[in-house]
Amino acid sequence: MRRAVARVLGTAPEELEDDRDLFELGLDSLALMSLVGTWRRGGSAVTFQDLTSSPTLRDWTALLARARGEEEAVPAPSAPPRPAETEADTGPFPLATMQHAYWIGRQDGQPLGGVAAHFYVELDGHDVDPARLDTALRALVRRHGMLRAVFDEDGRQRFGAEGTPLTVRDLRESDPDDAEAELRLLRERNTHARPDVTAGDVFRAALCLLPDGRTRLQIDLDMMAGDALSLRVLLSDLRRFYESPDDPPRELGLDYRRYLAEHATLRRAERERHAAWWRERLPDLPRAPRLPTTVDPLTPVSADDGVLTHSRRLHHWLGPDDKAALVGAARRHGLTPAAALATAFAEVIAAWSDSRRFLLNLPLFDREPFVPDVAALVGDFSSSVLLDADMSASLPFAAQARGLQTRLQEGISHGAYGGVEVLRDLARAEGAPVLAPVVYTSAIGLGEIFEQDVQKSFGRPSWIISQGPQVYLDAQVTELDGGLLLNWDVRDGVLEAGVPDAAFDAYRRLVTRLVTDPGTWSRPVDGLLAPDVLPRRAVAALPPAPVPDRALHTRFFHLAETEPDRTAVVRETGGTLTYAELADAARRIAALLRDHGVREGDTVAVTLPKGADQIPAVLGILAAGAAYAPVGVEQPAVRRARIHSVAGASVVLTDRDHAALCAGVSPVPVVLLEDG
């Protein structure tokens, strides 16, 4: 145990004191998750929460010895035997939880949707050889099945036969201004691309040849195929294939498909316990921060909505000396650097929010190394945890951060049931979508994604951005060139003009004070907002208007009685409906539904194309006293069945043209509008 702890802390075992708080020595949550995984593979039932409660070597020794005695009395289940490879192994397999969230969110019509979850990077180098790079790229894609993954219309995945080849653009003879214009155009297009993952377009590489031997390597990785650590794996492998083409690596004994299957089996019981823990806390969880926005974050978005599907990056780099100063100060206050920076971020969000208590969405790198080859895989191993960021008390920064760190560690210790699943539970409880669109990601302790060897071969990163669906502010902290890179990826058009830049500047200034002014840690945070922002904060904090004591459709039927000839609907194809005509159609649909057993309080699934025909259908459902659950005709069958199941629909209302879509999707009756 001492050797394992010393290894993650980068120190000698004999230098570790038995009673020293390990978090003060630099242990962080990610390193602790790795230690827990190692000891659990050895048969221990020790948990993350057990170890965070008393983080000293002496207490851990006693804890593991006590756990060992209990395990000898009741032998722990061993890892499942790995089955022999069969022909079925090459077929489709289910999506992981985060993959499924990306799959749904990238579709048009979703809140903050219409966007691919992807990483896009550009490396500016010199004399990169296109032929050698193409050969290396083909070897890379052969090695990692997820780089040629294909996602079908039903939301499943399989390994395809081949990936996308290297694209080479020769701009060496171009006019310098024309070449720069072309590079800007490519950057804009690639940054906001939404490739067709159903065609296997999940990983793309292009090399631009520039004057004087300069090169620009452009790499785009869809997050459904690989997470941030996978990007580091593939860059490292690509460099090795490029520099040593005659030295092939050892063949991997595990692929992503088998990892998912074995991981699900190993974590099943733990996941059930953690689900129960989160569900007990659902009623008390806050919601996402309400920031100054120009659009409702729940507004459905499609790829055609222009600016709402674009992101831009704000960034600040802390050099090695500043990083060392921040890490040292955090440790002196019993904090991890990740918790300190997360608290700085939360303080800034609280300053611009209408409440000082809110949910933050924190991605986790949940790659469980039950065999050594897991570390060499490309795939989506990410999870997330929801953090109750309660900043309401006016506490010194260090005390505020310790409280946030404790809540974060508690959430991570129940992370087998992830944040995406908790949000789904909240949505079911509320009967409406619940998002956590403000994200904070810490990759401190995971090493540098752009390793020095990679930069020597392909160049320095000159452009880095990530984009994801159902998120409008994604903050990240990553290690780069011995320091820390602080990024905010902001969805354009969602936050009020000027807010992202002002808030990021406040974040940068607060982090700088934590580095340069020791007194910042012992004082409450203030001075984040400019004076002209306070009046807007006051308006945002006003209580919402009271909810009227009537249904939304009551006024419609009142108007149908008092102004029957007034135009209610103008059809897309021409023609109109009056209030009287629309009310008559709605009442006939209500009678049709009652004839099929629909009663007050039931739910009716509506599968109709967007347009005027939806209006009498919805009004008819409401007139019958039921609720409606819209199920788009463009949704895949698996998704439609899932919506029907979650909504508990008693019937499906559709028309004759779309009846075939509904047949067999769920066991409830299908009611045709034409029958009414």
Side-chain angles (χ1 to χ4, degrees):
M1 182 193 73
R2 182 181 294 272
R3 286 195 301 271
V5 174
R7 186 166 54 251
V8 300
L9 292 178
T11 189
E14 61 273 12
E15 294 179 1
L16 294 177
E17 301 173 19
D18 286 349
D19 295 314
R20 184 71 183 273
D21 186 313
L22 294 171
F23 285 111
E24 292 181 4
L25 296 178
L27 184 71
D28 58 32
S29 297
L30 293 173
L32 184 53
M33 290 172 67
S34 174
L35 289 172
V36 171
T38 299
W39 293 330
R40 288 173 67 85
R41 291 196 304 278
S44 174
V46 68
T47 68
F48 183 97
Q49 192 171 26
D50 293 334
L51 299 177
T52 57
S53 61
S54 186
T56 68
L57 284 177
R58 188 184 304 280
D59 289 343
W60 283 8
T61 301
L63 177 66
L64 289 170
R66 190 163 58 247
R68 187 185 307 117
E70 295 169 356
E71 290 147 14
E72 288 172 355
V74 182
S78 59
R82 188 171 298 162
E85 187 165 0
T86 66
E87 189 173 330
D89 288 334
T90 61
F93 55 101
L95 302 180
T97 301
M98 288 299 291
Q99 284 182 303
H100 189 265
Y102 296 147
W103 171 248
I104 296 300
R106 72 186 288 128
Q107 298 175 18
D108 289 337
Q110 295 294 321
L112 293 175
V115 169
H118 71 129
F119 303 101
Y120 175 64
V121 302
E122 295 181 351
L123 302 174
D124 280 351
H126 206 273
D127 291 330
V128 176
D129 184 281
R132 283 175 60 194
L133 181 61
D134 182 63
T135 301
L137 184 68
R138 293 176 188 276
L140 180 75
V141 172
R142 285 196 300 271
R143 178 173 174 80
H144 297 292
M146 288 306 292
L147 298 184
R148 41 189 163 82
V150 178
F151 296 86
D152 63 31
E153 295 288 351
D154 290 331
R156 291 171 64 83
Q157 59 189 323
R158 60 180 173 83
F159 299 142
E162 57 185 33
T164 306
L166 176 70
T167 299
V168 178
R169 296 183 175 90
D170 192 343
L171 303 177
R172 288 173 293 186
E173 302 301 324
S174 300
D175 178 83
D177 290 340
D178 292 342
E180 285 301 318
E182 177 72 8
L183 291 174
R184 286 194 299 271
L185 180 63
L186 290 171
R187 175 176 290 178
E188 173 67 17
R189 186 176 69 195
N190 294 337
T191 295
H192 304 112
R194 187 175 61 162
D196 185 1
V197 295
T198 63
D201 193 1
V202 298
F203 173 62
R204 293 184 289 173
L207 182 67
C208 295
L209 305 178
L210 304 171
D212 304 319
R214 293 181 294 116
T215 57
R216 175 169 293 176
L217 177 58
Q218 302 161 325
I219 290 179
D220 193 4
L221 175 67
D222 198 290
M223 292 183 196
M224 292 182 68
D227 55 18
L229 291 186
S230 296
L231 181 60
R232 183 173 69 186
V233 170
L234 70 86
L235 286 171
S236 179
D237 283 354
L238 182 63
R239 185 206 67 83
R240 187 167 66 250
F241 291 140
Y242 179 81
E243 297 292 353
S244 306
D246 298 325
D247 184 22
R250 177 185 57 83
E251 185 177 350
L252 294 174
L254 184 77
D255 62 21
Y256 183 64
R257 173 189 58 241
R258 287 193 175 179
Y259 172 88
L260 289 182
E262 296 189 18
H263 183 259
T265 301
L266 290 169
R267 298 287 289 273
R268 184 175 293 122
E270 186 179 25
R271 182 179 180 280
E272 291 172 357
R273 292 195 305 272
H274 292 185
W277 186 88
W278 281 105
R279 286 168 180 160
E280 287 178 4
R281 285 153 180 78
L282 287 182
D284 193 45
L285 285 178
R287 295 298 180 265
R290 285 181 55 193
L291 301 174
T293 58
T294 58
V295 298
D296 182 352
L298 292 179
T299 300
V301 175
S302 72
D304 297 328
D305 289 336
V307 69
L308 288 178
T309 59
H310 284 199
S311 294
R312 63 188 179 99
R313 169 158 288 196
L314 304 170
H315 60 89
H316 175 65
W317 183 65
L318 291 180
D321 291 343
D322 287 344
K323 174 187 174 183
L326 178 70
V327 169
R331 289 177 180 173
R332 287 192 294 274
H333 289 90
L335 294 165
T336 66
L341 288 170
T343 304
F345 177 71
E347 286 282 10
V348 171
I349 295 301
W352 265 266
S353 174
D354 71 339
S355 170
R356 291 187 61 85
R357 185 185 176 204
F358 42 80
L359 272 186
L360 290 180
N361 190 345
L362 274 68
L364 298 177
F365 300 100
D366 192 23
R367 184 185 293 239
E368 186 167 3
F370 46 76
V371 294
D373 278 350
V374 171
L377 289 179
V378 167
D380 175 34
F381 302 90
S382 60
S383 180
S384 63
V385 63
L386 297 181
L387 174 62
D388 181 349
D390 188 352
M391 319 299 289
S392 52
S394 180
L395 298 174
F397 180 87
Q400 194 81 274
R402 282 192 289 270
L404 185 141
Q405 178 173 269
T406 297
R407 292 190 296 276
L408 175 58
Q409 290 171 346
E410 188 176 40
I412 292 174
S413 71
H414 296 89
Y417 195 72
V420 169
E421 295 161 307
V422 177
L423 289 174
R424 291 171 182 167
D425 289 340
L426 285 170
R428 281 191 284 268
E430 295 195 356
V434 177
L435 299 183
V438 179
V439 177
Y440 173 82
T441 305
S442 173
I444 299 176
L446 296 178
E448 302 206 5
I449 291 178
F450 303 98
E451 299 167 331
Q452 290 302 309
D453 285 345
V454 170
Q455 295 192 40
K456 289 177 183 176
S457 296
F458 302 127
R460 288 182 50 78
S462 58
W463 180 259
I464 314 167
I465 196 165
S466 64
Q467 191 169 0
Q470 304 191 323
V471 170
Y472 63 73
L473 174 53
D474 185 357
Q476 308 121 30
V477 182
T478 58
E479 298 183 29
L480 179 66
D481 293 343
L484 294 176
L485 184 63
L486 314 180
N487 299 317
W488 284 15
D489 289 329
V490 182
R491 184 82 74 96
D492 282 340
V494 177
L495 293 170
E496 285 183 3
V499 167
D501 300 89
F504 185 78
D505 185 61
Y507 175 60
R508 180 190 57 77
R509 287 187 282 107
L510 176 54
V511 172
T512 300
R513 293 205 305 270
L514 292 171
V515 171
T516 60
D517 179 8
T520 303
W521 298 80
S522 56
R523 298 190 300 264
V525 173
D526 60 9
L528 296 178
L529 286 173
D532 66 317
V533 177
L534 292 174
R536 293 203 299 271
R537 277 286 313 277
V539 171
L542 290 174
V547 177
D549 187 20
R550 57 179 173 80
L552 289 175
H553 59 284
T554 303
R555 178 165 167 75
F556 164 78
F557 283 107
H558 175 72
L559 284 172
E561 297 294 332
T562 59
E563 301 182 50
D565 296 327
R566 180 176 169 179
T567 299
V569 174
V570 178
R571 292 185 177 276
E572 305 95 318
T573 56
T576 62
L577 282 178
T578 66
Y579 271 85
E581 292 168 333
L582 184 56
D584 179 65
R587 292 190 176 104
R588 284 189 283 111
I589 291 171
L592 173 68
L593 293 172
R594 292 193 188 100
D595 289 344
H596 282 81
V598 174
R599 296 294 177 261
E600 186 172 341
D602 287 352
T603 300
V604 177
V606 184
T607 298
L608 291 168
K610 295 178 181 179
D613 289 340
Q614 287 186 339
I615 299 173
V618 168
L619 287 169
I621 294 168
L622 296 175
Y628 63 93
V631 187
V633 297
E634 75 283 354
Q635 298 278 12
V638 171
R639 175 67 174 162
R640 292 199 303 275
R642 177 65 175 159
I643 296 173
H644 290 169
S645 173
V646 171
S650 57
V651 301
V652 179
L653 183 64
T654 186
D655 58 19
R656 202 171 302 281
D657 291 339
H658 298 91
L661 287 178
C662 304
V665 169
S666 67
V668 300
V670 176
V671 178
L672 299 180
L673 283 173
E674 289 85 345
D675 293 341

